[in-house]
């Protein structure tokens, strides 16, 4: 594993003019943020040694280097989901590579279903914490001390400092943002009404099929995390709407300019 990480990081370092200390993972329907990155350099995942290839509609697979909010960034356009059949080590491999490249801060975004009764479709939820309901933890197995500790704390999995900054930016720009706990599930089924209800009762505000593995590995690696969910559908006991992938993508696309403005301004500050 260490050798693979090094090989991939070396390959990327040799290709790009500048290696940024900030990375962004773009979730379902949120890939257009890439249009706002200037001086872009694309590396398709298929060309990167040891990288898996993204398979799902709505997720193009590119690593993009460029400037956002005048700051150099790496963006992952498309991520690897557990439901695609990748194991946890593959899902989180890009985060290991980011760390090897010198990344210190990771911005993660996703589309999520809202259980919090105050949420509306199109809301932006700043992730304050998460609940891991994946059947496996990406850190299971041999621990490499070079990568991080055996038993990492998850007390501040999402940086309080970055949450405060996001709140300030959103208030200054008049963008409605909610706060909440993200429940990470394996998917690919959306939830039954009883499951949405269950996730709400255990303390969740939104649910999705990603993010948690990457955030666990980022924390293990000592990378600071900022996470944001776009609420693309609502679920619960009394909700009869049937979510579809198309609807999720559409709702994410509509909310994405606001998310983009927040992230861009956070970077600029
Ligand atoms: N459930 C799980 N994942 C999701 C949802 C949802 O309702 N919406 C977008 N991703």
């Amino acid at each position: 594993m260490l050798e693979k990480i090094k090989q991939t990081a070396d390959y990327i370092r040799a290709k790009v003019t500048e290696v940024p200390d900030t990375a962004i993972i773009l979730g379902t329907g949120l890939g257009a943020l890439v249009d706002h990155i200037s001086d872009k350099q694309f590396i398709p995942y298929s060309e990167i040694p040891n990288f898996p290839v993204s398979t799902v509609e709505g997720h193009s697979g590119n690593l993009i280097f460029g400037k956002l909010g005048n700051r150099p960034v790496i963006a992952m356009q498309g991520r690897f989901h557990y439901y695609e059949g990748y194991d946890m080590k593959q899902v989180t491999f890009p985060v290991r590579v980011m760390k090897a490249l010198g990344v210190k801060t990771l911005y993660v975004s996703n589309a999520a279903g809202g259980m919090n009764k105050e949420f509306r479709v199109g809301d932006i939820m700043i992730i304050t914490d998460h609940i891991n309901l994946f059947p496996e933890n990406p850190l299971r197995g041999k621990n490499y001390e070079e990568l991080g500790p055996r038993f990492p704390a998850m007390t501040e999995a999402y940086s309080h400092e970055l949450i405060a900054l996001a709140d300030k930016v959103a208030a200054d720009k008049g963008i409605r943002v909610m706060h909440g706990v993200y429940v990470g599930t394996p998917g690919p089924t959306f939830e039954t009404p009883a499951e949405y209800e269950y996730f709400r009762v255990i303390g969740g505000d939104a649910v999705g099929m990603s993010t948690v593995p990457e955030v666990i590995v980022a924390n293990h690696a000592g990378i600071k995390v900022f996470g944001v969910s776009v609420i693309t559908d609502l679920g619960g006991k009394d909700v009869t709407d049937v979510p579809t992938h198309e609807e999720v993508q559409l709702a994410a696309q509509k909310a994405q300019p606001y998310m983009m403005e927040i992230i861009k301004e956070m970077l600029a500050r």
Side-chain angles (χ1 to χ4, degrees):
M1 165 131 121
L2 297 178
E3 195 42 49
K4 274 193 178 168
I5 295 167
K6 185 176 178 306
Q7 187 185 31
T8 306
D10 287 348
Y11 172 87
I12 292 169
R13 214 179 281 112
K15 283 234 157 190
V16 300
T17 41
E18 185 176 18
V19 182
D21 66 3
T22 303
I24 306 177
I25 300 179
L26 300 169
T28 303
L30 301 168
L33 187 135
V34 161
D35 300 341
H36 298 264
I37 299 179
S38 59
D39 310 318
K40 276 193 283 282
Q41 231 181 317
F42 282 78
I43 312 180
Y45 293 161
S46 56
E47 291 178 10
I48 304 175
N50 308 319
F51 247 55
V53 177
S54 189
T55 63
V56 184
E57 205 189 320
H59 305 269
S60 18
N62 290 296
L63 209 55
I64 293 150
F65 289 78
K67 287 212 164 66
L68 186 68
N70 233 3
R71 287 267 297 271
V73 294
I74 315 177
M76 277 185 75
Q77 192 181 31
R79 60 148 61 86
F80 305 108
H81 295 87
Y82 188 72
Y83 62 71
E84 293 174 83
Y86 301 116
D87 66 36
M88 281 296 191
K89 297 279 187 273
Q90 292 175 303
V91 168
T92 57
F93 183 73
V95 180
R96 292 294 182 201
V97 173
M98 287 170 188
K99 174 69 182 183
L101 288 170
V103 166
K104 300 210 159 34
T105 310
L106 174 64
Y107 288 70
V108 286
S109 63
N110 59 57
M115 291 88 74
N116 184 317
K117 294 189 196 304
E118 317 233 301
F119 287 5
R120 305 194 289 244
V121 169
D123 269 346
I124 290 174
M125 181 188 92
I126 295 172
I127 305 175
T128 54
D129 203 348
H130 74 219
I131 297 175
N132 178 18
L133 292 185
F134 284 88
E136 198 191 321
N137 189 298
L139 305 181
R140 190 173 87 92
K142 179 175 164 55
N143 187 62
Y144 296 91
E145 280 296 322
E146 300 92 318
L147 301 182
R150 172 75 291 184
F151 300 109
M154 292 292 289
T155 319
E156 194 180 332
Y158 300 82
S159 160
H160 294 174
E161 188 192 335
L162 291 174
I163 292 170
L165 176 61
D167 281 340
K168 180 139 199 341
V169 166
D172 290 351
K173 291 189 172 280
I175 299 173
R176 169 181 153 108
V177 287
M178 312 305 275
H179 277 195
V181 173
Y182 178 87
V183 178
T185 61
T189 45
F190 292 115
E191 285 62 37
T192 64
E195 285 166 344
Y196 284 116
E197 192 64 17
Y198 162 60
F199 293 157
R200 189 181 66 79
V201 168
I202 64 170
D205 297 290
V207 53
M209 308 171 193
S210 67
T211 302
V212 165
E214 294 108 312
V215 171
I216 289 174
V217 167
N219 274 269
H220 182 243
I223 297 173
K224 253 202 245 181
V225 175
F226 176 75
V228 59
S229 292
V230 171
I231 305 302
T232 56
D233 53 278
L234 299 171
K237 233 177 27 249
D238 311 314
V239 183
T240 51
D241 293 344
V242 179
T244 64
H245 187 55
E246 290 67 33
E247 173 195 327
V248 163
Q249 281 183 290
L250 206 67
Q253 274 154 21
K254 277 198 195 144
Q256 113 173 309
Y258 302 105
M259 184 195 82
M260 206 268 317
E261 268 214 64
I262 293 172
I263 293 182
K264 201 167 158 180
E265 182 65 22
M266 285 174 76
L267 289 171
R269 291 190 193 179

